[in-house]
Every structure is written in structure tokens, then in C-alpha cells.
């Protein structure tokens, strides 16, 4: 009962956060935060369209605008925080491959918990706080009267903006992109590397297409083991 009363008391302040003006102010703060997280503004439009597309997907399923916007910001902020921590330790941003390696090897869990527990606990605490805040905002927010077709159209428009704002520096050689501290966008950029898990690289395809060759080819006669060589070194002394 105490929890129910506490939640009911928070309904007023939470509904103030659901006001459109509050959404605009917090989103503007998120834009400046994106500039700090990306260390330059060239990749910020792509990061913002990711947030918008994620918010559009949540809005399509929930119909709650404020909840969708806040959940998108919190989800991207959590990924950004993890990427920043990894970059500070290893000099390499969070990559999708990291989730594959961690989930497939139980020994990695023991290593991380034994060596980096002081970093995991703050991230875990931020995750718990974010989930609790999302639940409270969901209860305080109200559904808009938008039909599902309008929400789907909005999502389609937002998704269309994602490839249009794709960073040019990540179009070819993405390896160096992960070393430049693009904490907000690096993980989502790394999703482009998923094709390498199922599609064979072009170099390996060309290598396999080459006909097998013998490892060595003889050129001329080879000297038998133990036989004297016909060549020797001659050293001469010249008078000074």
C-alpha cells in the first residue's frame, strides 16, 4: 500500500514530464549530449535519427508519445554509457560482436565480474533506474488518439532518415570508426558488420577460387646433401 501511495503522489510530477514542452527541452539536452558523446557533429544526425526511429517503433506499439521518446533516449543512453566505458578501457567502442562473444562464453562472465565489477555495478544501477523510470512514465503518460496507420507511416518516415544520415566515414573502412570515440553511434554502426558472419568476404572467395598449387617448384638441379659446393669465398689481403 505504501508503494501505491508513493506512485500516486508521483503522478503529478511525472505528467509534467510528459508535457510537450518538457519533451522538447529534454530532447534538446539530448542533442547536446549527443555532440559530447560523438566528439564531433558530423555523426550526430545519424545518432538522432536512431533515437527518433526507436521512439517511433515504441510509439507504434504503445501509442504513448512521451513514454516512447523517453524510452528511446534511455535505451540509447545506456548503450552510449557502455560504449564509453569500453572505449576508456580498450580504446575501442562497443561492437555488436562483443555481445556475441560474451553470450557464447561463460568464462567471459567470470572474468568481467572478477575484474570489472566496479564498472559493471554503476551500469547495472543505471539500467534498474531506467527500467523503473520507464514503468512510472508509462503509467503517467496517456495514449494519443492516433490510428495505427498514422503511427506506422510516421515510423516509416523516421526509418527512411536513418540511411540518409549514415556517416560517410563509416561507409568503407569501419574499423577506424570504432577507434574515434563515437560512443553513441558505434554500436549501431557495427550492425552493418553482421553480414560478415553469414557472407564470406570477397578476399576469401577469391582465395578459394584459386587452383591448388604445389608448395615448391624446382628450378635446375639441386645439390645432394653432403656434396661439396662449387662456390667459395675468396679473401685477399692488399698491401697498405
Amino acid at each position: 500500500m505504501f508503494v501505491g501511495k508513493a506512485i500516486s503522489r508521483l503522478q503529478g510530477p511525472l505528467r509534467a514530464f510528459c508535457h510537450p514542452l518538457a519533451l522538447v527541452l529534454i530532447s534538446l539536452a539530448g542533442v547536446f549530449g549527443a555532440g559530447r558523446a560523438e566528439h564531433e557533429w558530423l555523426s550526430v544526425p545519424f545518432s538522432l535519427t536512431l533515437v527518433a526511429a526507436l521512439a517511433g517503433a515504441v510509439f507504434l506499439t504503445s501509442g504513448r508519445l512521451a513514454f516512447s521518446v523517453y524510452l528511446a533516449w534511455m535505451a540509447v543512453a545506456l548503450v552510449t554509457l557502455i560504449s564509453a566505458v569500453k572505449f576508456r578501457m580498450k580504446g575501442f567502442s562497443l561492437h555488436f560482436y562483443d555481445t556475441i562473444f560474451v553470450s557464447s562464453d561463460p568464462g567471459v562472465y567470470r572474468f568481467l565480474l572478477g575484474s570489472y565489477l566496479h564498472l559493471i555495478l554503476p551500469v547495472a544501477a543505471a539500467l534498474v533506474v531506467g527500467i523503473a523510470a520507464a514503468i512510472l512514465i508509462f503509467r503517467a503518460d496517456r495514449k494519443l488518439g492516433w490510428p495505427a496507420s498514422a503511427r506506422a507511416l510516421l515510423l516509416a518516415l523516421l526509418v527512411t532518415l536513418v540511411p540518409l544520415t549514415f556517416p560517410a566515414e563509416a561507409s568503407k573502412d569501419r574499423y577506424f570508426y570504432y577507434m574515434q570515440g563515437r560512443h553513441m553511434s558505434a554500436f549501431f554502426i557495427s550492425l552493418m558488420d553482421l553480414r560478415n558472419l553469414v557472407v564470406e568476404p570477397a578476399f576469401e572467395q577469391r582465395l578459394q577460387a584459386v587452383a591448388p598449387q604445389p608448395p615448391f617448384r624446382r628450378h635446375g638441379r639441386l645439390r645432394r646433401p653432403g656434396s661439396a659446393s662449387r662456390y667459395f669465398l675468396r679473401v685477399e689481403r692488399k698491401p697498405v
Side-chain angles (χ1 to χ4, degrees):
M1 182 176 294
F2 174 77
V3 176
K5 289 183 178 179
I7 293 177
S8 62
R9 291 178 180 177
L10 291 174
Q11 292 297 315
L14 288 175
R15 286 178 180 173
F17 276 98
C18 297
H19 193 274
L21 181 59
L23 289 178
V24 172
L25 293 177
I26 293 178
S27 296
L28 287 176
V31 171
F32 287 103
R36 296 290 300 272
E38 291 291 288
H39 294 98
E40 69 171 16
W41 290 96
L42 293 177
S43 57
V44 169
F46 175 74
S47 302
L48 297 180
T49 54
L50 289 173
V51 176
L54 181 58
V58 179
F59 183 58
L60 175 62
T61 57
S62 67
R64 291 172 167 83
L65 180 60
F67 168 75
S68 303
V69 173
Y70 286 130
L71 184 63
W73 277 115
M74 286 187 290
V76 175
L78 180 64
V79 173
T80 304
L81 175 61
I82 298 174
S83 182
V85 171
K86 186 199 171 186
F87 185 85
R88 187 170 183 178
M89 295 189 321
K90 301 296 183 180
F92 203 82
S93 296
L94 182 66
H95 196 284
F96 183 78
Y97 289 168
D98 296 328
T99 61
I100 298 177
F101 296 147
V102 170
S103 61
S104 60
D105 189 356
V108 177
Y109 291 103
R110 294 190 294 269
F111 170 74
L112 293 176
L113 291 175
S115 303
Y116 300 104
L117 185 61
H118 62 290
L119 298 176
I120 295 176
L121 289 179
V123 175
L127 177 61
V128 172
V129 172
I131 293 175
I135 294 174
L136 293 176
I137 294 174
F138 180 86
R139 292 170 61 92
D141 197 12
R142 297 174 181 176
K143 281 189 175 183
L144 297 182
W146 289 33
S149 58
R151 285 177 280 160
L153 179 61
L154 176 62
L155 175 60
L157 293 175
L158 294 175
V159 171
T160 304
L161 295 176
V162 174
L164 296 178
T165 57
F166 192 84
E169 59 181 338
S171 299
K172 295 182 179 180
D173 191 358
R174 285 185 289 273
Y175 181 82
F176 295 100
Y177 188 86
Y178 308 129
M179 302 174 65
Q180 296 176 2
R182 308 287 188 263
H183 306 316
M184 193 171 180
S185 61
F187 176 80
F188 302 97
I189 292 289
S190 70
L191 297 177
M192 299 291 295
D193 296 332
L194 286 177
R195 65 184 304 272
N196 296 333
L197 297 177
V198 295
V199 179
E200 196 174 29
F203 175 75
E204 293 186 6
Q205 293 179 357
R206 294 174 57 188
L207 188 63
Q208 293 182 2
V210 176
Q213 301 291 329
F216 301 101
R217 178 178 296 179
R218 293 186 176 185
H219 296 278
R221 299 179 59 183
L222 297 178
R223 181 169 58 89
R224 294 193 306 273
S227 62
S229 175
R230 294 181 298 173
Y231 302 96
F232 59 90
L233 180 65
R234 181 177 181 181
V235 179
E236 295 183 355
R237 285 189 176 181
K238 292 184 179 182
V240 180

